[in-house]
Amino acid sequence: MKTVANIARIKRTLAGGVAIAAALLLSACASNPITAPPGLSCGSLLPLKEQVTPANAQAAALLDDVIAAKRAAAPGQPVTISILAMSGGGKYGAFGAGFLAGWSDAERRQQLVPIRREEIDIVTGISTGSLLASYAAVGNLSPAQGGSDEMRRQADADAKAAYEVSDRDLFRKQGLIAAVTSNGLADPTGLLDTRISQMVEKYSPLVARLPADHKVLVGAANLTNGKFYVADMREVANKGAAANACYSEWLLASSAVPAQFPPRYIDDHGYVDGGVRFGTFLGNNVQRVVRRTRTPGDPIDTVDVKINLIALFNNPLTANNPAKDPAAALACDQSTLETAHQLCPDRSNDLLDIVTRSAGDIMTHQLFLDSLYRLQRELEAAGVLGISKFIYAAPERIAGEQCRAVTGDTFDRGYMDCLYKLGFKTAGDVSLWQDFDEVPKSARALPRRGN
């Protein structure tokens, strides 16, 4: 019997090898990419800056000019900057959209919140966070800043509508052979790209009207040199309608999850989801910014800058996907070495499952946790940390709300509707605006020496 089983295993292996070889042969013989270089020509319409390059003068423009503008507006006064940093997370962007609307609602009810939306100076976004960034920035504006309650309501409603979709509204799924001979499993042509273009046409003029000391920063990863680049969408919007296509393309680049979506080619460079580098980001190495922008002659240990941070994670911060069965995923989260086999799903010993589990679920989870702590540690190291809160789609709350995906869609409409409601409720409960020392245990840094 063992010999028969071994023969069957060998046959399956050979069959799999033949299938892979055939796919590779087809790939070599015929290539039909969805996107291809040189791509869209943007040049000066889309100024890109390296997010962390100490010697690069361009990198300084991400935060330095905000500090300089605030110093000029109130000479001799301490500078306070408030940042809303929004992570990637695909469908969990519905949670973020709900949180923004719930934040607005809490303020209308005159509920005390750690930071009011109108206090936000800089919005940063990656992937699904980049798609929310324009709505958030416009919705943040107070009447004194050129906004209105009506504008905020509309921005919140449009953010919600962006997630009232299903897969067929966003992309066409490709078959195995088509995917192998292409550069993405899903083709967003005429679907997601059209939706984003329509959003940009509506919101770009509003983003252009943001105050001079405001920014909307969106990041993506460059496939050529592997670096993370950032565009200030306010700067892009101020170039007028001629830059709308580049605005849209950069949002598509920031949300182009490798393998699932094709890379976006801009000026002969391929760009993919910024989430391959960071779960979320600030803008610069803050410590260097503070040093560069200090008044000449000031002692380096005299800090007159404070940065408030609201980190909105459109993500459950878990390696166990709660979408299909949130209670089971939560149980696996809480398992130990002794109980894991009983509480977690069985894992097959095949290549696809191993890669999906390790390079997908586990590594992505760790990237988000690392990004969460990097945000606070960077501000602490610079001595500029003010108010800091993080919000995320907690697995126990997903389970408590009984949010569950019931279709095979990546963007399951019912699940996203539930996530939106969860985000709305979360914003209205200030106890869920968590301090960074309440980060899930698996994310906690080691105690500092001497503490």
Side-chain angles (χ1 to χ4, degrees), residues 8-243:
R9 188 178 299 111
I10 292 170
K11 286 182 176 179
R12 287 197 300 272
T13 302
L14 289 173
V18 169
I20 293 172
L24 290 175
L25 182 61
L26 282 169
S27 179
C29 294
S31 180
N32 185 30
I34 300 166
T35 57
L40 188 64
S41 178
C42 289
S44 62
L45 293 176
L46 183 68
L48 300 179
K49 303 172 181 69
E50 291 186 31
Q51 192 251 346
V52 178
T53 306
N56 189 332
Q58 281 189 312
L62 290 172
L63 291 183
D64 295 33
D65 51 352
V66 176
I67 295 175
K70 287 184 173 289
R71 282 188 171 139
Q77 298 299 311
V79 172
T80 299
I81 295 175
S82 295
I83 299 176
L84 170 63
M86 297 190 291
S87 81
K91 55 182 169 283
Y92 290 94
F95 172 85
F99 184 86
L100 292 173
W103 191 354
S104 300
D105 179 71
E107 291 186 11
R108 290 189 192 99
R109 293 186 286 103
Q110 299 186 334
Q111 177 179 335
L112 290 178
V113 291
I115 294 178
R116 294 181 62 82
R117 288 193 63 178
E118 65 192 53
E119 296 179 84
I120 299 295
D121 303 297
I122 298 173
V123 175
T124 76
I126 287 178
S127 197
T128 202
S130 76
L131 303 183
L132 285 170
S134 299
Y135 301 124
V138 170
N140 288 340
L141 295 178
S142 69
Q145 297 167 328
S148 65
D149 187 63
E150 181 182 358
M151 184 183 293
R152 181 173 293 183
R153 288 180 186 275
Q154 186 61 59
D156 289 345
D158 287 344
K160 180 186 182 196
Y163 294 92
E164 293 177 330
V165 294
S166 60
D167 286 5
R168 65 182 181 183
D169 300 310
L170 303 176
F171 54 82
R172 286 177 293 277
K173 298 175 183 178
Q174 300 210 94
L176 176 61
I177 300 301
V180 169
T181 59
S182 182
N183 59 353
L185 294 169
D187 183 356
T189 306
L191 296 169
L192 177 62
D193 58 359
T194 298
R195 286 174 173 270
I196 290 178
S197 294
Q198 291 170 345
M199 182 276 287
V200 168
E201 184 177 358
K202 179 177 181 179
Y203 276 85
S204 178
L206 301 175
V207 171
R209 286 163 42 191
L210 294 175
D213 60 354
H214 281 48
K215 288 185 179 294
V216 184
L217 305 179
V218 171
N222 183 298
L223 288 176
T224 306
N225 62 13
K227 294 183 178 182
F228 184 80
Y229 287 89
V230 177
D232 177 5
M233 307 320 294
R234 178 187 174 278
E235 182 180 7
V236 177
N238 270 287
K239 295 180 182 296

Side-chain angles (χ1 to χ4, degrees), residues 320-389:
N320 301 296
N321 184 1
K324 290 294 185 183
D325 191 339
L330 182 60
C332 187
D333 275 345
Q334 298 170 343
S335 68
T336 64
L337 186 63
E338 291 74 22
T339 62
H341 280 304
Q342 289 76 40
L343 298 177
C344 299
D346 291 334
R347 301 291 172 183
S348 62
N349 191 27
D350 64 70
L351 180 62
L352 183 59
D353 190 67
I354 293 169
V355 170
T356 301
R357 181 61 174 159
S358 57
D361 299 339
I362 298 172
M363 288 179 63
T364 300
H365 175 221
Q366 191 59 48
L367 181 144
F368 278 97
L369 293 180
D370 290 347
S371 292
L372 177 57
Y373 254 94
R374 178 180 51 78
L375 294 180
Q376 188 192 26
R377 296 307 180 219
E378 188 173 321
L379 295 173
E380 283 183 333
V384 298
L385 181 63
I387 297 170
S388 60
K389 298 289 183 179

